[in-house]
Amino acid sequence: MRNTPLSTAGKSLLLAPALLPALVAAQERYNIVYIMTDDHTAQMMSCYDKTHVSTPNLDRIAADGVKFVNSYVANSLSGPSRACMLTGKHSHKNGFTHNEHGIFDGSQQTMPKLLQKAGYQTAIVGKWHLVSLPTGFDYWNIVPEQGDYYNPDFITMANDTVRESGYITNIITDKAIDWLDHKRDKNRPFALFIHHKACHRCWLPELKYLNEYEDKTFTKPSTFNDDYAGRAAAQAQEMRIASNHDMDLVYDTKMYRPGMKTRLTENYLRMISRLDSADLQTYDDFYDPMSRDFYRKNLTGEALTDYKYQRYMRDYAKVLKSLDDNVGRTLDHLREAGLLENTLVVYTSDQGFYMGEHGWFDKRFIYEESLSTPLVMRLPEGLKARGEISEMVQNIDYAPTFLDLAGAEIPADIQGRSVLPLLKGKHPKDWRKAVYYHFYEFPAEHAVKRHYGIRTADGWKLVHFYRDIDSWELFNLNEDPNELHNLYGQAGTEKITRRLMKELVELQKEYDDQTALSLNGAAAEGIK
Ligand code: SGN
Ligand code: CA
């Protein structure tokens, strides 16, 4: 059933017949290349949404495979999302609930460790963001914390920090290709995790792309001027493009002028000062005249916000362009190396992002833009599904999927579900009808209150914001896809609220989220 590049195996066999069983066994198992970016959202990926940019190489993955149109994370933040992916478990079970103050317990069961046991080689390059050093990988080379765009540091397996020269997205790809070509045992199947920094804040472009998108005026989303009426937590956040506290004029918008000191100026100068002097000159030659012009205009109010929005969108799109190039380069290399037809290539992000929806950047909320994450897969020979897959999937599903694909057993304590049947073109009747979400990082930057909730396949969402707030929200996505009207407590919603509360409690029980169960309080009274 599993088609294999037998011609490759056949050629080797002529040379070394004794290797026949081992080679065939190795070739029969699919490889996995998992590409995960940071803060890349479906609104900025043309196979999902053509409004803003074109991403031809990312789209190639979907064109040769599948595009999940209901793909979600369990906790919309980097470290937690990565921990969910590695363990196949929700945050309260893998222990990494938030970036700040967390440390991933690398001694626990993880999917890479289980793949190793099943005979796979495992490697990871790029962003890790789990504080403790990687476990379960035969090879790793990671960036410290968030990593730097320019001349970034990498931590080696000997725990040395080495500064590399170049642009991070190119370097991570070079490292991945180098591992494929020179650092692995070519007789064994592998799982390679390529974790990009792109497109994380503060969107520093590759210098060759500084001029891209400068002529383009991006269209603001219809919800840009949301007043957050009826949504207390949305009111309280600090992720507004319009706010110079939230979106820093220097750090985010790059409008620096000598002597200027905003909240994040120092961070910005530290980041760009990593460029060598010639490159820094190129960088300054691009942004300085723009900055001078900006301060001359003395923009205020809506004009200032519009200006910041364009800068944000343009710089994000530039960073994305290098990413798209490099994903293309990765795909081309897999093809040239004869690996493509026997490899599952996954492309996703650690979560979605706001591109001005509700007036925001950043993520964290259970609202659609950041609960969702792009997910496309190029399927190897033998996996027949094509086009859109509409079943609800979540990042806790990746671990069981990869184990399933590797022919390894999926431990009972893994909470996600293998999507392999979906990749084979099947549509199991008992597929999940709702996803469960829990966000913990508060108090913290961007001030998004702690909350948990469910989002159902039939378009309903029930959310509870808690801790220093006790506020429920209910949305009918079929009638209100932008989540502007909180229906919770309104007359006529009693029945649907009861149904959703029951489903929420069921999921909390299924996933054993005791903390959340204890926080439902009076709202869930009478629900068993
Ligand atoms: C940093 C950013 C935040 C961002 C978090 C989490 N601030 O703290 O804007 O929300 O990372 O992002 S910055 O001043 O350091 O850029 S995550 O993707 O890693 O979870
Ligand atoms: Ca992220």
Side-chain angles (χ1 to χ4, degrees), residues 387-405:
E388 291 191 359
I389 293 185
S390 59
E391 278 83 355
M392 298 184 111
V393 297
Q394 207 166 13
N395 55 347
I396 52 169
D397 298 336
Y398 306 164
T401 301
F402 298 166
L403 294 171
D404 203 4
L405 192 82

Side-chain angles (χ1 to χ4, degrees), residues 78 99 129 146 200-201 251 362-364 445-446:
S78 166
N99 285 341
H129 209 200
Q146 296 284 6
H200 195 271
R201 199 179 178 193
Y251 180 75
D362 213 68
K363 54 265 180 174
R364 296 161 192 264
E445 192 173 9
H446 302 302

Side-chain angles (χ1 to χ4, degrees), residues 101-321:
H101 318 302
I103 176 158
F104 183 69
D105 172 10
S107 70
Q108 69 184 293
Q109 165 186 291
T110 64
M111 167 264 292
K113 288 185 192 173
L114 295 167
L115 285 176
Q116 281 182 322
K117 270 200 195 142
Y120 273 62
Q121 295 166 85
T122 55
I124 178 165
V125 291
K127 182 169 172 180
W128 171 249
H129 209 200
L130 289 169
V131 188
S132 55
L133 293 177
T135 57
F137 292 94
D138 298 309
Y139 177 81
W140 55 264
N141 198 194
I142 57 168
V143 298
E145 298 168 17
Q146 296 284 6
D148 271 293
Y149 278 107
Y150 300 136
N151 300 323
D153 287 338
F154 279 81
I155 308 174
T156 69
M157 291 176 77
N159 206 2
D160 291 328
T161 300
V162 177
R163 184 184 171 111
E164 309 262 353
S165 42
Y167 187 67
I168 192 162
T169 312
N170 300 331
I171 299 173
I172 289 171
T173 308
D174 290 346
K175 285 178 183 290
I177 289 175
D178 182 52
W179 184 82
L180 284 170
D181 285 354
H182 305 297
K183 290 195 164 68
R184 68 186 171 100
D185 170 0
K186 293 195 175 157
N187 293 317
R188 286 201 290 140
F190 64 84
L192 169 62
F193 296 77
I194 309 175
H195 289 194
H196 286 287
K197 174 183 173 68
C199 325
H200 195 271
R201 199 179 178 193
C202 59
W203 318 290
L204 294 174
E206 188 175 1
L207 299 186
K208 73 173 183 189
Y209 284 144
L210 280 173
N211 285 294
E212 289 288 315
Y213 297 107
E214 285 301 317
D215 296 334
K216 187 173 163 86
T217 302
F218 289 86
T219 311
K220 283 194 291 186
S222 61
T223 59
F224 195 88
N225 293 317
D226 188 359
D227 62 3
Y228 317 119
R231 288 152 292 149
Q235 225 12 294
Q237 51 56 49
E238 293 178 357
M239 42 196 258
R240 288 168 64 229
I241 293 168
S243 155
N244 288 344
H245 168 274
D246 304 354
M247 179 174 267
D248 193 275
L249 270 182
V250 172
Y251 180 75
D252 294 304
T253 326
K254 321 210 171 51
M255 294 299 107
Y256 175 69
R257 57 176 171 181
M260 185 160 182
K261 227 175 162 8
T262 60
R263 188 168 66 91
L264 297 172
T265 297
E266 260 178 43
N267 291 2
Y268 175 72
L269 294 178
R270 184 194 62 76
M271 285 176 184
I272 62 167
S273 68
R274 298 186 68 90
L275 288 165
D276 66 29
S277 53
D279 284 345
L280 186 57
Q281 192 61 55
T282 307
Y283 183 95
D284 286 343
D285 286 348
F286 178 77
Y287 285 111
D288 280 357
M290 205 181 290
S291 168
R292 279 195 294 275
D293 184 51
F294 168 77
Y295 287 108
R296 212 175 296 125
K297 283 188 187 137
N298 214 0
L299 301 174
T300 54
E302 201 180 330
L304 175 60
T305 303
D306 283 356
Y307 188 91
K308 290 175 77 181
Y309 177 68
Q310 294 306 328
R311 279 261 49 86
Y312 165 48
M313 295 298 283
R314 285 174 186 159
D315 291 339
Y316 185 109
K318 293 173 200 185
V319 171
L320 182 58
K321 189 156 174 61

Side-chain angles (χ1 to χ4, degrees), residues 29 92 94 266 307 445 453 500:
R29 304 175 78 185
H92 62 281
N94 66 49
E266 260 178 43
Y307 188 91
E445 192 173 9
L500 293 170

